[in-house]
Amino acid sequence: MAAFWHQRGRRQENGGLGSVIDGLGSVFDVLLANARLVLGVSGAAVLAIATLAVKRLIDRATSPRDEGDPKAEQKSLEESWQDLALIKTTPKPPKKQRREDLSEPLLSPARPLVPGEVHNPRSCSAPLGAPQVKSSPLRCLTLQEKLLSHSSQLAVPEIQASLILQLARSICTQLQNFLRSKCPELPFGRLFLSGALLDGLEVLAADHIHLMLPVVLDAGLWSLISGEDTVVRNPQYWMIKRIDLGYFPRGCSPWDRFIVGRYLSSNVLNETLHKLLVASINWPAIGGLLGCAIHPVVASRELKLEVKHDQVELSITLFPVVEMEDKVLLAVPPEGLVENLWLESFYRAEVSRVKELDAGDSGARQLCLRILSGVCRSQPSLRKLGGSPVTHVILHLSDTASDWAEESLADRFQQVLEELVAYLEKGVLPSYFNPKINLFSGLLEEEIDEMGFVLYRAVSEPEVLLK
């Protein structure tokens, strides 16, 4: 009975496969008969090879296996993989050319060699007679090259700079004449211009100039008191005290009208000048004479003029300045109730020292300062860092780093960024001329954190600051 069911099952299996094979054979015959008409010569060849491989697979699957041969199964599998490989390696018929393919290059550019890779001519798959296509790999600029390229973009056009200086000097002359006629009793000195444009440190756009108004004091009637000895405890500010009132009572000095509590008040002087600028000077007439429009800024605490010309726009800030005991003091009181303080300015000493050091070793400190000032100006989060703080960092670094040649600009630029991050982490940047003064004292903690974050990221990739 067991033998019966075994033979029956084999007959059913063979009979089922035989019918399937017969059906497939008829289908293949029809396809091969019509392949030349439908697919063409190359298509018929591909179909014939594929059909032959499939037939071989079916024949080996249905043919009786010699059970005595242990290698028969392995041989059958190897032949099957060979037939499948035959199907895969059959060349595909060429596809019909499309219109858009006509614009594609016939030869692909050669792969550029990786640095350190040895070129092996035998590995080239192109025939010897084939034309070689040379590739021109993109040249990556170094940080040094990027800095020099960026610095060339910071120069103000000569025509624009000349026009701005001409307007500023004309306005300075008009204001000087007005003060002499309106306030002849006040011994103002000769007005003069100041700023990066005049000192060769201009960046991006020369749209701001300082106008310095000297306040001439009699040294026998006034003396300086350091801010450390006042309630503000800030060595960057000074107070100008009226002395010897017993021998020289009020009225002996023309500046006594600006005294508050025996101290020359920078706030009262600024308020008086602000009224003169806004209400007393005929700026429309002066602007018409100079071919521009001049408007005093009414709402600003600073003494500021906005100048609009057909070609340029300019902002001029007026600063009353007192020079006593080798100090340069500006009438810039801090915000708050204290109104008698004068801010010590180191700008003149900063520019002089930087130029002196560059002249001594043909250094690139001014170039580095221009680039960093331009970066701070273009980055909103770094604007309060530009100018004086960056200059003092460069001066501090000059005491330790001796190589400031232009070839070392990239190294010095990177080092200045690292120094700035270190100072911001401490929240203290000592003045180069007075270590007691912290140049970060006027910044908020949030501003210091934001500046530190931006520069910390730039230390590893300085190029991001030049975009």
Side-chain angles (χ1 to χ4, degrees), residues 77-103:
L77 289 174
E78 290 176 357
E79 291 175 350
S80 300
W81 285 114
Q82 291 174 2
D83 293 336
L84 289 176
L86 177 63
I87 297 175
K88 290 184 178 179
T89 56
T90 303
K92 297 182 180 180
K95 63 179 181 179
K96 186 177 180 180
Q97 193 173 24
R98 298 176 299 172
R99 183 182 299 270
E100 53 268 20
D101 294 338
L102 298 177
S103 62

Side-chain angles (χ1 to χ4, degrees), residues 274-286:
H274 189 273
K275 293 178 181 178
L276 292 176
L277 291 178
V278 172
S280 301
I281 303 179
N282 189 355
W283 292 115
I286 296 177

Side-chain angles (χ1 to χ4, degrees), residues 353-368:
R353 181 58 177 166
V354 169
K355 290 186 175 182
E356 178 185 353
L357 291 173
D358 274 352
D361 57 9
S362 301
R365 296 172 184 83
Q366 297 177 72
L367 179 58
C368 186

Side-chain angles (χ1 to χ4, degrees), residues 331-385:
V332 184
E335 296 183 3
L337 299 177
V338 182
E339 59 180 18
N340 298 333
L341 296 177
W342 293 70
L343 177 67
E344 184 173 7
S345 172
F346 298 101
Y347 178 78
R348 187 187 302 173
E350 293 165 4
V351 174
S352 176
R353 181 58 177 166
V354 169
K355 290 186 175 182
E356 178 185 353
L357 291 173
D358 274 352
D361 57 9
S362 301
R365 296 172 184 83
Q366 297 177 72
L367 179 58
C368 186
L369 178 59
R370 279 198 298 268
I371 296 174
L372 285 168
S373 298
V375 167
C376 293
R377 183 183 178 123
S378 61
Q379 298 278 344
S381 59
L382 300 179
R383 285 180 181 173
K384 291 188 177 181
L385 193 61

Side-chain angles (χ1 to χ4, degrees), residues 137-334:
L138 294 177
R139 178 170 172 265
C140 296
L141 296 178
T142 63
L143 177 59
Q144 175 81 10
E145 293 169 333
K146 290 180 179 180
L147 288 172
L148 294 176
S149 175
H150 185 75
S151 66
S152 63
Q153 303 173 8
L154 299 178
V156 179
E158 185 177 353
I159 297 178
Q160 180 183 5
S162 177
L163 178 58
I164 288 175
L165 289 177
Q166 181 180 353
L167 286 174
R169 291 192 178 101
S170 299
I171 293 174
C172 179
T173 301
Q174 294 294 328
L175 184 57
Q176 182 82 65
N177 295 334
F178 170 82
L179 290 176
R180 287 179 178 175
S181 61
K182 184 70 176 180
C183 309
E185 74 282 0
L186 296 178
F188 287 112
R190 185 175 183 81
L191 284 162
F192 63 93
L193 301 178
S194 178
L197 181 62
L198 287 88
D199 298 316
L201 301 177
E202 67 277 2
V203 292
L204 295 182
D207 57 357
H208 193 253
I209 286 183
H210 295 163
L211 188 56
M212 316 305 289
L213 177 61
V215 176
V216 181
L217 299 178
D218 187 350
L221 300 178
W222 306 91
S223 65
L224 299 182
I225 298 178
S226 174
E228 289 183 290
D229 301 330
T230 65
V231 294
V232 296
R233 301 295 180 185
N234 190 337
Q236 193 171 2
Y237 289 93
W238 293 78
M239 300 183 74
I240 304 176
K241 185 178 181 180
R242 178 68 157 82
I243 59 175
D244 292 337
L245 286 175
Y247 295 98
F248 305 98
R250 283 177 179 261
C252 293
S253 173
W255 303 106
D256 286 345
R257 54 186 288 192
F258 302 103
I259 288 178
V260 175
R262 295 188 62 178
Y263 297 96
L264 182 62
S265 175
S266 56
N267 190 48
V268 173
L269 179 58
N270 279 336
E271 289 179 352
T272 302
L273 292 174
H274 189 273
K275 293 178 181 178
L276 292 176
L277 291 178
V278 172
S280 301
I281 303 179
N282 189 355
W283 292 115
I286 296 177
L289 180 64
L290 302 178
C292 61
I294 306 175
H295 303 282
V297 181
V298 179
S300 175
R301 294 180 69 248
E302 297 178 319
L303 306 175
K304 185 175 292 187
L305 300 173
E306 297 291 345
V307 182
K308 292 184 179 181
H309 189 270
D310 292 339
Q311 302 180 26
V312 296
E313 292 186 2
L314 176 64
S315 177
I316 299 178
T317 304
L318 178 66
F319 288 102
V321 55
V322 171
E323 297 188 32
M324 286 184 63
E325 303 176 9
D326 298 330
K327 302 287 188 303
V328 179
L329 308 178
L330 303 180
V332 184

Side-chain angles (χ1 to χ4, degrees), residues 43-55:
V46 174
L47 181 58
I49 295 173
T51 304
L52 177 59
V54 173
K55 279 187 174 183

Side-chain angles (χ1 to χ4, degrees), residues 3-16:
F4 170 77
W5 286 108
H6 179 68
Q7 292 177 1
R8 185 173 178 227
R10 291 191 61 181
R11 283 196 301 269
Q12 290 177 353
E13 181 181 358
N14 293 335

